[in-house]
Structures are given as C-alpha cells and as structure tokens.
Amino acid sequence: MIKSENYINVCGWMISELADLRLNEIFIYAIIHGFSQDGKSFYTGSLSYLMEWTHSSKPTVIAALSKMVEKGYIIKKPPYYYPFLPIIRRF
C-alpha cells in the first residue's frame, strides 16, 4: 500500500535519456532507480507495488520490465523470485 508520505523522484535525465519509454515505464524505472541508486542495492519489491504506483495491470508491468531489460536500461539479477525481480538499474 502506498502511504501518503511516499514519493517517486523522476529526474530530468530519465525523460531525455529514456525518451523511448512511455510515462508508466518511466515511473517504473524511477521506482527501481530509487531503490538501487547507490549501485549496491537492488529493487526487490513486488510486481503489485509497481502495479499500484502506475495503475497498471500485471501484464503491462511485466511488458515494461521486459522492454527495459531488452534495451539494457535495467538488469535482472538472480535469484529470480518473480520473473523480473530483483532488478538493478544500469546507469
């Protein structure tokens, strides 16, 4: 559940450098980035968390994650608890 004090930080470089992503995909990327920006940590949250933040269906979130992995924007890192998690940002 998203608490009223939670937030997502979308940086300007995400909009310009990831210009081929749709807005909900940028939000997903921003969430992953928020958990992994120190270069050591990983996003280990659930698909449901990403679904809730983006108001997207499970297939839509999975497709967005697949697209970002394919483009090299994010990297899947084992162990895989879900098909695409945990994830680390590449930049």
Side-chain angles (χ1 to χ4, degrees):
M1 174 178 223
I2 299 172
K3 299 175 185 172
S4 60
E5 63 269 11
N6 293 138
Y7 62 93
I8 301 172
N9 186 25
V10 178
C11 302
W13 64 264
M14 293 177 189
I15 303 298
S16 58
E17 293 184 29
L18 308 173
D20 57 333
L21 296 182
R22 295 172 48 201
L23 188 56
N24 67 330
E25 294 167 340
I26 297 241
F27 283 165
I28 291 170
Y29 184 89
I31 293 165
I32 293 166
H33 177 267
F35 283 95
S36 60
Q37 61 188 323
D38 67 359
K40 298 175 186 172
S41 303
F42 305 96
Y43 175 75
T44 57
S46 66
L47 293 174
S48 297
Y49 186 75
L50 299 175
M51 291 164 53
E52 185 176 4
W53 269 102
T54 60
H55 296 273
S56 299
S57 68
K58 186 174 183 177
T60 300
V61 170
I62 290 172
L65 292 169
S66 295
K67 178 179 178 179
M68 288 186 271
V69 168
E70 182 179 305
K71 292 186 171 284
Y73 296 155
I74 59 175
I75 300 168
K76 290 190 287 183
K77 188 164 176 94
Y80 303 116
Y81 301 108
Y82 294 99
F84 301 96
L85 303 175
I87 298 171
I88 182 172
R89 79 182 263 280
R90 183 171 184 196
F91 296 105

